[in-house]
Amino acid sequence: MAALILEISGRHGPQYHRVDKAIVRVGRALDNDVILTDPAISPYHFAIRRGQDGTYSLQSLADENGIRCNSKRITESLPLSQLPMAFEAGRTRARILDPSHPVAPTRMIGCHNGKLCLFGNRGWALALFVLLFVLSAFDNYLSTPQLLTWESFGEDQLIIILTALSLSLGLTIVNRVTSQRWDYAGSLSFVGLILIAAILLDQLNLFMDYYFTSQTPGLLINLVWHLLIMPMALAWFLIRLNHGSTGTSILSIIILLTPAAYIQTNETANYYGLFDTFDNKAHYSDALSPWDIRRQRTISIDSFVDSVTNTIAPKQMDTDNSDL
């Protein structure tokens, strides 16, 4: 075994270090062969040693947090006979790999394959933004039931423009978190396409509701849009196009789209009266206690009135007879 590769997982992706010395020492101290910044790492945390027969072993040097392999703390020298081998040092995840370990396929950049490049090109981003402005202006004109003035029309368009720019900036920040790169042009193109699709979808919903004389088609289309199409489109943009981290991208999608999905689902539920069978009053509001456990059975007001009436009526009849 001529050499090994030490993989250190980090926030900005894994880092690789070649292990081709008799002893490779790892820790926070600056005289180590591999220097880590994790505060849970000891100054001299672990070492990879090469024996005279060419085999390697992993040895813990730390008394504080040590190293763990398969959730078990390693206290003795561990032979590296089966690779890859994953372990944890402090809070840092690491693997020891063979140099011939396969790597992931190269991801193609969409704008470099000769196809139409809508994302990452400033010209296309500007063109889509202008198209969004024109379509939103037309939609604003159609959907306003009162006489438009240039002042009100300009305010509505300004809100749309600021919304598109703000969403693009937010998506750029999310893209930075997931893929460690800034790409405002790509984010602006994506937001422009999504908002254009939303405007066209709104017109389709109006037509479907009018044609079927029901809100059901529009509600179903909106549910599919918010719960299926939007998450898939955003996942494609963050993971497939910008090569972002899968876990971080999915978490970001859930955080970003949950409010809109909740609003649309709640609107659908209210339209079909799915929650109408629930009482707005707590079940124990008449009992003073949620347990409602008593020594004697509680009777209803009607039963109480009936019992009182049955008790008073004979006495009232006796009184009337005595008067006679």
Side-chain angles (χ1 to χ4, degrees):
M1 192 178 296
L4 298 177
I5 302 296
L6 174 63
E7 178 190 80
I8 303 294
S9 299
R11 180 181 178 184
H12 303 292
Q15 296 181 353
Y16 297 92
H17 305 272
R18 190 173 181 85
V19 179
D20 54 2
K21 298 168 56 177
I23 299 178
V24 174
R25 194 171 55 188
V26 182
R28 283 190 298 111
L30 300 182
D31 59 345
N32 283 295
D33 299 291
V34 178
I35 302 173
L36 303 179
T37 59
D38 182 1
I41 293 290
S42 301
Y44 304 100
H45 201 95
F46 67 90
I48 302 175
R49 300 178 180 272
R50 183 178 61 196
Q52 295 182 353
D53 56 353
T55 60
Y56 287 87
S57 61
L58 177 65
Q59 180 181 6
S60 176
L61 305 177
D63 296 329
E64 296 85 1
N65 296 314
I67 58 177
R68 292 181 177 273
C69 181
N70 296 327
S71 301
K72 296 181 180 179
R73 181 156 182 167
I74 304 301
T75 56
E76 299 179 354
S77 179
L78 181 65
L80 301 178
S81 56
Q82 295 183 352
L83 300 178
M85 193 194 77
F87 63 96
E88 295 181 0
R91 293 191 180 94
T92 300
R93 291 178 298 175
R95 289 196 307 169
I96 299 178
L97 309 173
D98 189 272
S100 60
H101 187 78
V103 297
T106 303
R107 296 184 178 182
M108 296 298 297
I109 300 177
C111 293
H112 291 179
N113 56 8
K115 299 181 180 179
L116 182 64
C117 181
L118 295 178
F119 305 98
N121 185 289
R122 296 179 181 178
W124 278 110
L126 180 61
L128 290 172
F129 185 76
V130 172
L131 180 60
L132 171 64
F133 178 82
V134 174
L135 287 178
S136 63
F138 182 68
D139 180 70
N140 187 18
Y141 174 77
L142 293 178
S143 60
T144 303
Q146 60 185 3
L147 183 62
L148 279 175
T149 63
W150 284 110
E151 182 179 359
S152 62
F153 183 78
E155 290 177 355
D156 293 339
Q157 289 304 111
L158 181 61
I159 292 175
I160 294 174
I161 293 175
L162 293 179
T163 300
L165 295 177
S166 300
L167 291 175
S168 302
L169 179 60
L171 185 58
T172 302
I173 296 174
V174 172
N175 191 25
R176 169 63 181 175
V177 173
T178 58
S179 63
Q180 307 301 324
R181 59 190 296 264
W182 296 100
D183 184 13
Y184 186 76
S187 299
L188 183 60
S189 297
F190 181 81
V191 170
L193 280 176
I194 291 296
L195 293 180
I196 289 172
I199 293 175
L200 298 177
L201 189 67
D202 185 59
Q203 295 299 321
L204 176 62
N205 289 342
L206 293 176
F207 171 77
M208 297 292 286
D209 293 345
Y210 182 81
Y211 182 79
F212 289 100
T213 319
S214 171
Q215 292 186 10
T216 300
L219 290 174
L220 293 177
I221 292 174
N222 283 331
L223 280 177
V224 173
W225 172 260
H226 287 96
L227 300 180
L228 185 62
I229 297 178
M230 276 293 296
M232 292 179 61
L234 196 53
W236 174 85
F237 178 79
L238 294 176
I239 300 174
R240 182 69 176 179
L241 186 64
N242 289 287
H243 309 157
S245 169
T246 302
T248 307
S249 299
I250 293 176
L251 180 61
S252 302
I253 292 170
I254 293 175
I255 295 174
L256 290 174
L257 299 184
T258 295
Y262 169 77
I263 292 173
Q264 185 58 44
T265 305
N266 190 56
E267 180 182 348
T268 304
N270 290 335
Y271 175 76
Y272 288 103
L274 299 180
F275 301 132
D276 289 349
T277 56
F278 290 89
D279 192 353
N280 293 327
K281 184 171 61 175
H283 65 87
Y284 58 84
S285 60
D286 294 330
L288 301 180
S289 171
W291 297 104
D292 196 20
I293 300 176
R294 306 187 186 189
R295 185 172 58 85
Q296 295 182 350
R297 184 177 63 87
T298 303
I299 63 174
S300 64
I301 295 178
D302 294 336
S303 300
F304 174 76
V305 172
D306 293 339
S307 64
V308 171
T309 302
N310 295 332
T311 303
I312 296 177
K315 295 182 179 180
Q316 184 66 33
M317 292 179 61
D318 294 341
T319 303
D320 294 341
N321 293 331
S322 62
D323 293 340
L324 293 176

